[in-house]
C-alpha cells in the first residue's frame, strides 16, 4: 500500500469513522488510533467553544456539546487552519434549533 493511500484511508477514518485505515494498519491498531480521533474531535469542539462562548453559555455545556458533535459529524474542516472551522456552525445551529431567533442572533 502506498503512503498516499494509507493517508487517505486514515483521514477517512479520522473524519468519518470509516474502518479502512484500521484494517490496513495492522492486527489491532484501534487503541492507538483512537487517541488521534479523540484529539481531533476535542480540538474541533474547543474551536467551536472559543468561537461561540455566548452560545455555549446560552445552551449550556451538554446541549452545546451535542450541537458541536452534530456539526463535527457533518462538516469536517475544509481549510488549513481551524480559524475558519467555526464559520459554518451557524448553519448547524439553525438546523438544530430553527425556532430559536435569540440563539440565531448570538
Amino acid at each position: 500500500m502506498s503512503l498516499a493511500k494509507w493517508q487517505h484511508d486514515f483521514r477517512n477514518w479520522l473524519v468519518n469513522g470509516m474502518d479502512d485505515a484500521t484494517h490496513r494498519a495492522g492486527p489491532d491498531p484501534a487503541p492507538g488510533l483512537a487517541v488521534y480521533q479523540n484529539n481531533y474531535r476535542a480540538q474541533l469542539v474547543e474551536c467551536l467553544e472559543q468561537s461561540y462562548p455566548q452560545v455555549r453559555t446560552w445552551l449550556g455545556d451538554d446541549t452545546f456539546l451535542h450541537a458541536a458533535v452534530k456539526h463535527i459529524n457533518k462538516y469536517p474542516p475544509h481549510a488549513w487552519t481551524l480559524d475558519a472551522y467555526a464559520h459554518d456552525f451557524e448553519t448547524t445551529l439553525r438546523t438544530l434549533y430553527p425556532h430559536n431567533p435569540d440563539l440565531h442572533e448570538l
Side-chain angles (χ1 to χ4, degrees):
M1 167 183 297
S2 71
L3 177 59
K5 176 65 175 150
W6 194 89
Q7 287 173 331
H8 181 273
D9 286 349
F10 180 76
R11 183 189 183 283
N12 282 340
W13 173 80
L14 190 63
V15 172
N16 303 319
M18 298 174 77
D19 290 334
D20 290 350
T22 58
H23 293 303
R24 292 185 194 348
D28 189 21
L33 287 175
V35 171
Y36 287 101
Q37 193 173 57
N38 183 57
N39 187 51
Y40 166 79
R41 296 175 77 78
Q43 289 297 319
L44 294 179
V45 169
E46 185 177 338
C47 174
L48 295 172
E49 288 173 345
Q50 289 181 6
S51 297
Y52 290 92
Q54 292 86 3
V55 171
R56 182 179 177 202
T57 300
W58 180 271
L59 290 176
D61 290 339
D62 291 341
T63 304
F64 184 89
L65 180 60
H66 170 76
V69 168
K70 291 284 189 183
H71 183 75
I72 291 165
N73 289 340
K74 188 166 184 172
Y75 300 102
H78 58 278
W80 67 272
T81 176
L82 285 181
D83 292 345
Y85 183 66
H87 294 170
D88 296 331
F89 192 47
E90 180 183 353
T91 303
T92 298
L93 294 173
R94 287 184 183 275
T95 300
L96 291 173
Y97 310 104
H99 304 294
N100 193 335
D102 293 334
L103 176 63
H104 301 165
E105 286 187 26
L106 291 175

